[in-house]
Amino acid sequence: MIKRNTQQRRHAIISLLNEQGEVSVEDLSQRFETSEVTIRKDLAELERSGVLLRRYGGAIPLPSEILAEEVPAKVSKRKLAIAQAAVQHIRDHNRIIIDSGSTTGAMIPLLATKRGLVVMTNSLTVAQALRELENEPTLLMTGGTWDPHSEAFQGQVAEQVLRSYDFDQLFVGADGVDPSRGTTTFNELVGLSRVMAEVAREVIVMVDSEKFGRRIPNLELPWDAIDTLITDDGIGAELKQQIEQHGVQVICAQVNT
C-alpha cells in the first residue's frame, strides 16, 4: 500500500470502516505504512468530526442513538476567516502562545502545515487539539489554578511559567472591544493575559465584529499593549480608523458567504 496524504488516508479509513464494521490501529498502521501515533490522530480527528467512535485499539461506526443526537455547531464563518488571516502571520519554527477561546481555537487545524512550532497554552482544549496535529508541534502548558469561567489555567504559577520563556507571538481573543481603551473581558482575572503580552514580541488579538461596542467593565489589554487586531469585514471604516489611531494594525478578514 503506497503512502497517502492525510485527507486521502482518512477517507480510506472511513471506507474501510463502512466495509468491515470495525478497524484496528495496528492494521491501519500496516496498511498505510505509517505510525500508530499518526493513525490514532486520524481516528481522534474523525471522531471529533462525528464519523466514528474510538474504541481501545481501533474504532467502530457511530451507534445509531448517537447519530440521532444533534450535531454540534461548526466553527462560524467569521471565526474561520479570522483564524485563516491569523495563521498567515506564523512562520515555521515560531514560538507562540495561544490563549483559550473559540476564535483562537479555530486556528489549531490550520497549523498542520507549519513545521517546528513551539506552542504554549493555558487551555486544555487547545492542548488536546494540538496533540492531534500530525506535524506534532512542541506543546508547553502554563499550569496554574483552573478557572471555570474562562475554562483555562490562571494565577501566579501560570504567570511565573510564562516569564521563564520568550515568544514570537501571542494570539488572544476578547469578550469585547472598546475603541477608546482596548480589549475587555467579563473575567476579573486579567493578570495572565497581560503577562502573555509582556513575554511576546508581537501581540495579535483575534475577535469577531459582533464583539465591538459591548459595554464590559474589565479592561484586559490596553491598545498600547496590542500590535495587531484581526477581525472580520463586519466593522465599518470609521471604527477601523479609530482603532488604527492608537497605533494598532487592523486586519479585516473577508468572510465567504
Side-chain angles (χ1 to χ4, degrees):
M1 171 67 69
I2 61 171
K3 293 185 178 179
R4 301 167 181 252
N5 66 33
T6 302
Q7 291 305 317
Q8 289 176 326
R9 187 177 60 249
R10 289 175 181 174
H11 284 307
I13 289 172
I14 296 169
S15 297
L16 284 169
L17 184 61
N18 291 335
E19 293 172 8
Q20 301 173 183
E22 184 175 359
V23 291
S24 74
V25 171
E26 182 179 1
D27 289 345
L28 292 174
S29 175
Q30 293 174 1
R31 177 183 288 269
F32 298 113
E33 298 180 359
T34 190
S35 70
E36 292 189 2
V37 171
T38 295
I39 295 299
R40 290 192 187 97
K41 289 177 180 177
D42 288 339
L43 298 181
E45 180 60 30
L46 291 171
E47 182 180 53
R48 190 166 59 176
S49 299
V51 299
L52 56 74
L53 192 64
R54 283 188 292 173
R55 286 288 183 262
Y56 181 77
I60 61 173
L62 278 178
S64 56
E65 61 270 20
I66 294 180
L67 285 170
E69 294 177 359
E70 183 178 355
V71 177
K74 293 182 179 180
V75 175
S76 73
K77 291 182 179 180
R78 283 195 182 97
K79 287 179 169 56
L80 182 57
I82 293 167
Q84 289 170 337
V87 167
Q88 293 178 19
H89 290 255
I90 301 174
R91 298 181 178 178
D92 289 348
H93 306 289
N94 270 15
R95 298 164 61 87
I96 66 176
I97 307 171
I98 301 179
D99 192 19
S100 60
S102 58
T103 306
T104 51
M107 295 174 59
I108 307 303
L110 306 177
L111 297 178
T113 60
K114 305 295 181 180
R115 296 291 173 253
L117 292 182
V118 176
V119 186
M120 170 77 82
T121 186
N122 62 332
S123 165
L124 291 177
T125 302
V126 170
Q128 180 60 35
L130 286 166
R131 287 184 63 248
E132 294 173 1
L133 291 179
E134 193 166 349
N135 56 339
E136 298 182 352
T138 299
L139 172 62
L140 305 174
M141 291 290 296
T142 63
T145 303
W146 181 255
D147 171 39
H149 177 87
S150 61
E151 295 189 344
F153 291 103
Q154 304 282 352
Q156 292 185 354
V157 170
E159 292 173 14
Q160 290 170 4
V161 170
L162 278 165
R163 286 195 171 104
S164 63
Y165 294 89
D166 60 23
F167 296 91
D168 297 302
Q169 294 158 311
L170 162 64
F171 294 89
V172 59
D175 292 323
V177 177
D178 184 330
S180 62
R181 295 191 299 159
T183 63
T184 56
T185 179
F186 293 110
N187 197 340
E188 294 181 355
L189 300 175
V190 296
L192 189 64
S193 296
R194 293 176 181 175
V195 173
M196 287 178 173
E198 289 173 14
V199 300
R201 283 186 282 276
E202 182 181 15
V203 176
I204 299 175
V205 172
M206 303 168 58
V207 59
D208 66 65
S209 58
E210 293 182 344
K211 303 288 183 67
F212 285 76
R214 284 186 173 184
R215 295 186 178 275
I216 302 174
N218 302 313
L219 178 66
E220 186 167 23
L221 292 177
W223 288 125
D224 60 11
I226 299 168
D227 298 290
T228 303
L229 184 142
I230 302 178
T231 185
D232 58 75
D233 53 9
I235 69 167
E238 183 178 346
L239 183 55
K240 179 176 181 289
Q241 185 178 17
Q242 186 177 353
I243 295 171
E244 288 174 334
Q245 289 175 350
H246 295 284
V248 176
Q249 179 188 19
V250 179
I251 297 173
C252 298
Q254 184 173 358
V255 179
N256 295 323
T257 56

